[in-house]
Amino acid sequence: VITDIELRSTLPLTNVNRNSKLNISLSLKQEFTKEGDQGSVFMTAIFTDNHTMPITRDNGRIFPISNNIQVITSTSNDDDDSSNNIIESIQVATGASTSCGSFLLGELYMCGNTIISGLGLINIKLTEASSVTVSSSSYRITSNTDLASFNGINIPTQAILNVNLFFVDGSSKDFTLDSRTVYTIIEGQNLVSIVNNTIQPKNINSVITSSRNIIINVTFPGVYNNIYKVIEISFVSFDRFDLKIFPYPYFTNATNITTLRRIHCSNQYQKAFPKLNVILSDSSSYDVTTYSQFNTILNSNNNNTILSLSSVNSGSLTIISGLSIGKGSIFGTFGGKNSSNLEITVSSTQSIITSLSIIGFSGSTLSGSIGHTENLLVYLKFNDGIEYQVPSSNMNWITLSDLLNFNSSVSSAASVDSNTGIVTLHKNHYQSVNLMATSTTCQGISTSLTSIKTIWCNLQSDSDGSVDLGNIQGQQFNNINSINDSLSIEVRVRSSTSYLLAFQIIIEIDTNYVIADTNGCSVGSEWSGSFSCTVNDPPNEILIVGSNSESKVIGNSISIAKFIIKINNVLNKDGLALITGFVTKFTTTNGDICNSQNPCEIITGTGYIPVGNFSKIITKLLPLKQKKTKSLNYIKTSSSTSTSTSL
């Protein structure tokens, strides 16, 4: 019986060259060291004249005569000459012991008759076990009738053990279901039983109010007497409910409450939601609120209902509302078991705003088209520790004007709805705008608080053919403070659904305060095609013209030109300089949007440039006068300056 073949050389085979001399040795191993080890059986017939004959599968057969080994089906290829002499393969049987003896009977047979037989020597020298590991699918179990096993807690109702035995040669074997593995319950026999490797709770009639330990000893008696492992599993059960209520809507670090107060100047009482926890016998806690039902009890005062319950979030959250002054109670039900009652007081005492801050707007610019809206979110803190964010869909049960008043320092640019806190953009504005939220006053509250959010109003193009001037964010036009200052103004157009082919734009400036730099008009960074810019013909106008029949320019905000504005150093007046204009040609691959017969007024880009110490000048900002539209064939006079570029 051969278990392995080992070939050795006096030199590493990687160092061999043509002049190398090697001593080669071949050794056969005939020793089995662990269960499942396999070996090949060779059988030879020896005749009286010492002649030998290999016995093959065709004329030989073997039989095990010991329980320590078993014959297995050979996987050798019959066409492989090297394996023709292998009678059969054997392996060490499960449960074998260290032994050495004639455990195989071999026979040479012919025509169904045994000619001669012989015995084969087998040497089994099993490796000693060194250690064992035992793991469990769960280290806590409960009865399948206990609340601890219900959805929301889901403590397993059984534990499955897994046993691995390790040997001194570094190998290991799964002994979980081996017949030699013995599982013994040392502690907790009254709580559980063990079948094979599965720990299962017994039917328990008494109530278990504390966690119990289940101790299992895993041994291998008569095989590996010195190898064992003790594993401990907790048997847990329902102990009690913990019912509390918390402010609704919930806020970070909110603590439980028992009183619902009247909110500031409103007639509404605070709301709350219940939270039901199950405490198990090992003191672990589980939130089972979404798996529970809640009801009121002792809930009237002089025939007035004190508390009402309603559901939100598809029934996953119960809301407690105060309806009238008094005391009522609620209780929760989980798994058919009721919690104790929790008393809640509805009080007329006011919960007063002590802090407010505007948190709406991610930046400092209210930008968009005319009519664009955003919520002016305000965070409120009250004297009883409650916090709210308004407006909010979770707070639609209270009238916002009972808590706050909203105002805008320039409502013509940005207005605020006092009932909703919604801010609406109306136009560009040359100064920053203050949006204000002020807490209301009423009987019992005489002091108000105010929070201010400072923003810039800056319109953005919302339709193809529209023209925007100045900065995209923040102040539309920067201040020009002295005659040595200049202001570069970018011209952007929108052509978002088709390619821009041609444009002719007339920019009008208020020359009472500013003039255009005759050398300061240039093509924008995103326009590719012919381009010309005519300045000061007439003095209050800038004509920008471009065309490209093969243009592939498209976008929401296309930079087509820049021009420079300076203070009119002849008049040198402080004030607000209006910039506006018309689009007399705007052609895309979809056709004309604006033309000389139907010019488009510049709305998005219209605004005022603050000049000098403008705040001391009381200026009535008049609406732009309708002017006669220039012809597309614009002819400059000799006093004007024109820049023409072909790109």
Side-chain angles (χ1 to χ4, degrees):
V1 177
I2 307 300
T3 60
D4 198 5
I5 300 175
E6 185 176 14
L7 182 68
R8 292 184 179 180
S9 168
T10 55
L11 289 176
L13 296 180
T14 55
N15 296 332
V16 174
N17 56 49
R18 69 173 58 187
N19 296 319
S20 297
K21 292 184 178 181
L22 303 176
N23 290 325
I24 302 296
S25 62
L26 181 69
S27 61
L28 303 179
K29 292 186 177 181
Q30 294 179 282
E31 184 178 89
F32 294 92
T33 59
K34 57 181 177 291
E35 295 175 1
D37 269 3
Q38 296 183 7
S40 299
V41 179
F42 298 83
M43 202 160 50
T44 303
I46 303 174
F47 294 87
T48 55
D49 61 356
N50 292 325
H51 175 71
T52 61
M53 180 185 74
I55 300 174
T56 67
R57 293 188 183 94
D58 295 332
N59 57 3
R61 55 192 175 191
I62 60 171
F63 304 95
I65 55 176
S66 169
N67 291 331
N68 284 336
I69 63 170
Q70 56 188 178
V71 177
I72 60 175
T73 302
S74 175
T75 58
S76 300
N77 184 355
D78 290 338
D79 295 330
D80 184 357
D81 292 338
S82 64
S83 64
N84 282 343
N85 290 336
I86 300 176
I87 291 296
E88 213 47 273
S89 294
I90 63 170
Q91 71 177 10
V92 179
T94 299
S97 58
T98 296
S99 56
C100 184
S102 299
F103 300 150
L104 275 180
L105 173 65
E107 294 181 344
L108 172 65
Y109 70 95
M110 184 178 297
C111 298
N113 298 311
T114 300
I115 305 301
I116 193 171
S117 63
L119 297 175
L121 189 65
I122 303 293
N123 184 17
I124 301 174
K125 191 176 181 180
L126 297 179
T127 304
E128 291 294 324
S130 58
S131 63
V132 64
T133 62
V134 181
S135 60
S136 177
S137 61
S138 175
Y139 290 88
R140 292 195 303 166
I141 62 172
T142 188
S143 168
N144 57 12
T145 60
D146 194 279
L147 291 185
S149 69
F150 285 34
N151 282 340
I153 305 177
N154 298 111
I155 300 297
T157 56
Q158 65 177 18
I160 300 175
L161 301 181
N162 184 269
V163 179
N164 272 289
L165 198 62
F166 292 84
F167 299 90
V168 294
D169 64 354
S171 62
S172 64
K173 185 177 180 182
D174 186 346
F175 261 67
T176 301
L177 297 176
D178 194 287
S179 60
R180 295 163 292 175
T181 304
V182 177
Y183 301 95
T184 305
I185 302 175
I186 297 176
E187 185 177 323
Q189 298 93 330
N190 62 320
L191 298 175
V192 298
S193 61
I194 186 165
V195 179
N196 294 326
N197 62 322
T198 302
I199 303 171
Q200 299 173 328
K202 292 181 177 180
N203 292 325
I204 303 171
N205 295 323
S206 59
V207 177
I208 300 174
T209 57
S210 61
S211 180
R212 302 290 181 87
N213 291 330
I214 310 299
I215 300 177
I216 308 293
N217 191 23
V218 181
T219 58
F220 313 92
V223 185
Y224 307 108
N225 292 322
N226 296 323
I227 304 296
Y228 66 93
K229 190 72 173 181
V230 175
I231 185 170
E232 189 172 307
I233 294 173
S234 296
F235 188 94
V236 298
S237 58
F238 169 81
D239 182 23
R240 66 188 186 277
F241 285 117
D242 180 26
L243 176 61
K244 294 178 180 178
I245 66 169
F246 292 84
Y248 177 82
Y250 182 81
F251 56 91
T252 305
N253 298 324
T255 57
N256 64 295
I257 59 175
T258 57
T259 301
L260 304 179
R261 295 179 171 85
R262 187 163 67 89
I263 303 174
H264 203 66
C265 291
S266 75
N267 291 321
Q268 293 290 327
Y269 297 100
Q270 295 166 340
K271 294 182 183 289
F273 67 93
K275 183 178 180 181
L276 184 63
N277 279 31
V278 166
I279 312 299
L280 299 184
S281 55
D282 62 352
S283 299
S284 59
S285 178
Y286 292 85
D287 185 351
V288 296
T289 303
T290 57
Y291 299 90
S292 304
Q293 296 80 41
F294 298 92
N295 290 283
T296 60
I297 192 172
L298 304 175
N299 189 31
S300 65
N301 182 20
N302 295 326
N303 295 322
N304 292 323
T305 302
I306 298 170
L307 302 172
S308 70
L309 303 182
S310 59
S311 296
V312 296
N313 297 340
S314 301
S316 63
L317 186 64
T318 299
I319 304 302
I320 306 168
S321 302
L323 300 182
S324 61
I325 297 171
K327 294 183 178 182
S329 296
I330 67 165
F331 65 91
T333 303
F334 172 73
K337 188 176 181 66
N338 294 337
S339 72
S340 57
N341 298 334
L342 176 66
E343 186 176 77
I344 301 171
T345 300
V346 179
S347 173
S348 61
T349 302
Q350 289 170 296
S351 176
I352 301 173
I353 296 173
T354 56
S355 170
L356 73 151
S357 57
I358 297 175
I359 60 173
F361 298 102
S362 58
S364 60
T365 304
L366 178 61
S367 61
S369 59
I370 295 175
H372 171 74
T373 61
E374 290 194 27
N375 286 326
L376 190 65
L377 301 179
V378 183
Y379 202 81
L380 306 175
K381 293 184 178 182
F382 294 78
N383 61 349
D384 57 355
I386 301 298
E387 299 177 13
Y388 292 141
Q389 177 181 298
V390 293
S392 165
S393 59
N394 293 331
M395 292 291 295
N396 56 13
W397 43 273
I398 191 167
T399 302
L400 192 57
S401 58
D402 288 337
L403 306 179
L404 298 171
N405 293 317
F406 293 99
N407 287 289
S408 167
S409 62
V410 187
S411 58
S412 60
S415 59
V416 190
D417 189 308
S418 60
N419 292 317
T420 63
I422 294 176
V423 183
T424 302
L425 175 64
H426 300 293
K427 66 176 183 179
N428 296 313
H429 196 62
Y430 56 90
Q431 282 183 307
S432 60
V433 175
N434 289 332
L435 304 177
M436 293 160 283
T438 303
S439 61
T440 57
T441 59
C442 55
Q443 184 176 357
I445 304 175
S446 58
T447 303
S448 63
L449 303 172
T450 298
S451 177
I452 298 175
K453 174 72 175 182
T454 300
I455 63 167
W456 294 98
C457 296
N458 195 327
L459 292 175
Q460 302 296 320
S461 298
D462 64 341
S463 59
D464 287 2
S466 61
V467 177
D468 192 15
L469 304 174
N471 301 318
I472 296 176
Q473 294 290 315
Q475 186 177 7
Q476 182 192 13
F477 299 122
N478 297 336
N479 294 27
I480 304 179
N481 297 314
S482 68
I483 58 176
N484 295 320
D485 293 340
S486 62
L487 175 64
S488 177
I489 297 177
E490 186 177 34
V491 182
R492 297 177 303 277
V493 298
R494 180 182 175 111
S495 181
S496 61
T497 59
S498 55
Y499 297 129
L500 175 61
L501 301 181
F503 53 83
Q504 181 168 291
I505 301 169
I506 300 170
I507 307 294
E508 296 184 335
I509 61 175
D510 188 345
T511 53
N512 287 315
Y513 302 98
V514 295
I515 57 173
D517 187 335
T518 55
N519 297 315
C521 191
S522 60
V523 67
S525 60
E526 295 176 291
W527 176 246
S528 176
S530 65
F531 175 84
S532 67
C533 183
T534 303
V535 178
N536 293 334
D537 185 14
N540 68 323
E541 290 186 0
I542 301 168
L543 176 66
I544 299 170
V545 180
S547 66
N548 183 352
S549 60
E550 298 180 353
S551 169
K552 300 297 181 183
V553 176
I554 191 171
N556 294 330
S557 182
I558 306 167
S559 175
I560 60 167
K562 287 184 179 180
F563 61 91
I564 295 175
I565 293 296
K566 301 187 295 185
I567 289 180
N568 188 332
N569 57 9
V570 176
L571 300 177
N572 195 17
K573 295 169 60 178
D574 297 328
L576 297 171
L578 176 66
I579 291 192
T580 185
F582 294 90
V583 181
T584 55
K585 185 175 183 62
F586 198 95
T587 303
T588 72
T589 48
N590 285 342
D592 282 350
I593 296 176
C594 310
N595 53 47
S596 58
Q597 286 73 37
N598 295 288
C600 303
E601 185 179 359
I602 295 178
I603 302 295
T604 304
T606 293
Y608 290 89
I609 301 175
V611 179
N613 193 7
F614 72 94
S615 60
K616 290 186 177 181
I617 307 299
I618 301 175
T619 306
K620 184 177 181 181
L621 304 179
L622 298 175
L624 178 68
K625 289 184 178 181
Q626 185 70 30
K627 293 195 174 183
K628 185 177 180 181
T629 305
K630 304 292 183 183
S631 168
L632 289 180
N633 298 318
Y634 195 91
I635 301 175
K636 58 187 176 62
T637 65
S638 58
S639 61
S640 66
T641 300
S642 176
T643 300
S644 180
T645 306
S646 180
L647 301 178

